[in-house]
Amino acid sequence: MAGRADGTGQRAAGAAEHAAWAEELLDHLRPAGRDPNRVVTWLAGAADAAVSLQDGTGRLLAGARLPLDEGLVADITGGRIASAALEDAGRQMRLVRVARSHPAPDAVLAVAREAPFDRRASDIVTHTAQVLELLLAGHESAAAGHRLRRATSDLRLAILQLLMVEDTVSARRVAAGLWPGLLDTDTACVYVVESSPGERDRLAEECVSATAEGALVVRCPAMDGHVIVLAPRDAAGRELRTLVGGLPGVFLGGSARQGLARTAAAYGQAVSALAVARFRPEQSAVYAERTRPELLMEPAALYGWTARTLSPLDDLPHHTRAELLATTRLGLEFTAVNTAKILGVSRNTVRARMDRVEGLLRTDFTDLTVRAAVHLALNSQVGLAEPPGGAAPERAGAAGLTDLLSGPALRTWAADLLGRLAPDGRDLRRTLRTWIAVGGNAERAAQRLGMHPQTVREHVRSAEPVLERQLLAAGSDLYEVVLAHLAEGDLGGPSLPGTKPGHPDSPVHG
């Protein structure tokens, strides 16, 4: 009786010990655990052994590398045997196969210890191998899901980059495979959603869900906290506004509806609207489609001037010409670094392309009047892809920039815009005119005006809310103000192709 009682006590103690290590092992399957390295470290302590986990190619997955017989490892990972026990250099070793999902090669769990493997140690090794199989399968499934999400994200970005350079045909072809019908439209709106960089990935998924995958949702390559949404459907704007309205610290800027070929321009509008959204209680704003100066110009004359201005690029191969023009259009709106990120090229490539355009046009992009004129030509080229009906090419081609800016409607627009600066006693208009004339350089403007550079910057910042345009960030807003100064005769005209001595467009020096 006493012997049976002792045996029962030993079995109870053994069961309790088994329950203890089994519970510890199962803890590694909890969401907070699930790390093969931690499991292998735990096994090394529980079995008082050296442990390694490596795949059939010899790559160490966890633990410390052990000297193993390559042939034996190949037999185990190849499925010819499931496990092996051996003595090597005075140490006891157990090797157990750890199956993995195809195409990952199977692995082998190797455990080496000085003492022989008793039942407890053997059970721990066997069950640990099973836990590692589950963990590796989960990691591989998660990794595959991550790769799929990354590939999908890269594809969305590639489509946006094609649209940014006006290659709508290729963009539709790429989109058709995963999102049939998404770009079966001629127009779309672009939205930019802003959050903290840490919240960006979650916000992007919420945008995909909110738009029911009926929009192109892209993590902005240039701004870490921005998500770009190209939405063919009008309903997407309402869905995004509803989403943003419930999220603190998240803002939405939207463009006016634009042709797909004007995606870059729509993106610029959305960024401009985003600046307004940050100060609105509803946290969103849509670009106010104000009267753009080109809409006040005679269409046939504008078409002819644009064709003449960009004519030095006409002899280039079509693809090269489109690439140069698209890069320059974005490069005039954003910095070279951000343009490079948006297009997926290096900033040196952006600068090289813009330098080439600058050389072909025989002009200087450091001159803000030149930048404004070329920006006008590039945007007009997209808006006036064909000659306006009834246009007389010969007559239209003779118009210069001064002719375009001298129309009554445009002169009235320019006078009204710049006239808003008059009530300020600091003569903001004089400061702004001087700042533009020296290429937006505050130090050089300060030297001409006899004031401190910081005062120049403060004057320019003060003019921004009055003119309702961003000036310190180069882009459409600044170029409109430059054109207004040209229309008012406050600045000399830019040097561009086709300009002749004595022509109204000839620059004024001195």
Side-chain angles (χ1 to χ4, degrees):
M1 292 294 292
R4 286 197 297 271
D6 289 345
T8 301
Q10 290 172 359
R11 286 194 298 273
E17 184 183 5
H18 176 90
W21 68 254
E23 185 175 348
E24 289 178 9
L25 180 57
L26 289 174
D27 275 342
H28 290 284
L29 290 175
R30 300 182 188 279
R34 298 186 183 175
D35 181 356
N37 285 287
R38 290 177 59 185
V39 174
V40 167
T41 300
W42 173 85
L43 173 58
D48 189 20
V51 183
S52 79
L53 178 67
Q54 68 177 56
D55 65 19
T57 67
R59 185 169 68 95
L60 186 67
L61 303 177
R65 186 174 294 280
L66 295 175
L68 303 176
D69 182 272
E70 293 183 3
L72 184 57
V73 170
D75 286 340
I76 293 175
T77 58
R80 286 181 287 278
I81 57 176
S83 63
L86 66 147
E87 183 179 349
D88 181 32
R91 293 196 303 176
Q92 305 295 319
M93 295 194 69
R94 289 289 175 92
L95 283 72
V96 183
R97 180 183 173 217
V98 178
R100 300 172 70 191
S101 303
H102 182 78
D106 285 347
V108 60
L109 175 66
V111 184
R113 53 184 266 161
E114 300 296 332
F117 281 84
D118 55 16
R119 182 170 181 176
R120 173 184 178 276
S122 298
D123 285 347
I124 291 176
V125 171
T126 300
H127 286 85
T128 301
Q130 295 170 351
V131 168
L132 286 170
E133 281 190 2
L134 293 173
L135 290 181
L136 290 177
H139 276 247
E140 286 152 10
S141 176
H146 175 74
R147 287 193 298 271
L148 178 59
R149 289 190 296 273
R150 179 61 183 269
T152 303
S153 177
D154 290 346
L155 189 58
R156 288 191 176 111
L157 175 58
I159 294 169
L160 179 68
Q161 288 170 339
L162 288 169
L163 292 173
M164 286 286 195
V165 296
E166 303 171 24
D167 192 349
T168 56
V169 174
S170 295
R172 287 189 174 108
R173 187 181 299 121
V174 174
L178 284 179
W179 303 283
L182 177 64
L183 297 182
D184 289 352
T185 177
D186 292 327
T187 61
C189 293
V190 172
Y191 297 90
V192 175
V193 190
E194 181 181 70
S195 68
S196 65
E199 293 292 312
R200 202 254 299 261
D201 286 349
R202 180 185 60 81
L203 183 62
E205 294 303 321
E206 291 186 4
C207 288
V208 172
S209 177
T211 58
E213 295 199 359
L216 186 69
V217 180
V218 179
R219 291 163 177 79
C220 179
M223 302 296 292
D224 290 340
H226 287 187
V227 176
I228 303 171
V229 182
L230 184 136
R233 299 183 299 112
D234 290 334
R238 296 191 296 271
E239 293 154 355
L240 291 172
R241 283 191 289 274
T242 300
L243 170 65
V244 167
L247 298 174
V250 179
F251 306 97
L252 173 70
S255 75
R257 182 162 286 274
Q258 299 282 357
L260 287 182
R262 287 183 58 84
T263 297
Y267 171 63
Q269 291 182 353
V271 171
S272 179
L274 182 64
V276 177
R278 297 188 189 106
F279 302 99
R280 288 193 173 178
E282 63 271 27
Q283 300 167 231
S284 64
V286 176
Y287 182 78
E289 188 64 84
R290 57 182 177 242
T291 301
R292 302 194 308 272
E294 60 263 35
L295 298 179
L296 301 175
M297 299 176 185
E298 203 279 308
L302 177 59
Y303 179 87
W305 173 81
T306 296
R308 180 163 56 87
T309 297
L310 301 179
S311 61
L313 286 76
D314 290 348
D315 293 334
L316 297 173
H318 175 76
H319 174 74
T320 301
R321 183 177 187 273
E323 186 176 70
L324 292 178
L325 292 180
T327 302
T328 303
R329 186 177 294 110
L330 284 171
L332 292 175
E333 289 281 356
F334 308 105
T335 65
V337 172
N338 284 349
T339 298
K341 291 178 179 178
I342 293 168
L343 293 177
V345 299
S346 72
R347 60 183 177 183
N348 288 337
T349 298
V350 171
R351 291 185 176 120
R353 290 176 183 174
M354 292 190 69
D355 287 346
R356 187 175 180 187
V357 172
E358 192 178 41
L360 288 168
L361 298 184
R362 304 188 305 280
T363 193
D364 180 7
F365 281 163
T366 62
D367 185 332
L368 284 179
T369 64
V370 170
R371 294 175 71 90
V374 174
H375 181 268
L376 172 65
L378 292 173
N379 282 339
S380 300
Q381 181 203 39
V382 175
L384 295 170
E386 299 294 334
E394 298 81 6
R395 182 178 177 185
L401 181 60
T402 300
D403 300 318
L404 297 175
L405 297 173
S406 62
L410 199 133
R411 291 291 299 275
T412 299
W413 165 83
D416 175 70
L417 178 64
L418 299 181
R420 302 178 196 176
L421 300 173
D424 195 300
R426 293 172 292 177
D427 200 353
L428 298 183
R429 183 166 175 173
R430 174 173 172 262
T431 302
L432 187 56
R433 176 177 68 245
T434 306
W435 178 75
I436 291 173
V438 296
N441 186 292
E443 286 73 18
R444 291 169 59 195
Q447 290 176 357
R448 289 196 180 187
L449 294 168
M451 60 178 63
H452 195 277
Q454 187 58 34
T455 304
V456 173
R457 296 186 188 97
E458 290 173 359
H459 283 196
V460 176
R461 287 193 189 95
S462 298
E464 289 184 325
V466 178
L467 299 177
E468 298 179 336
R469 284 160 175 81
Q470 296 183 81
L471 302 176
L472 290 171
S476 300
D477 285 2
L478 172 60
Y479 302 142
E480 286 188 6
V481 174
V482 174
L483 292 178
H485 279 87
L486 290 171
E488 285 285 271
D490 290 352
L491 295 170
S495 176
L496 287 168
T499 300
K500 301 176 182 178
H503 189 276
D505 288 348
S506 296
V508 176
H509 302 283

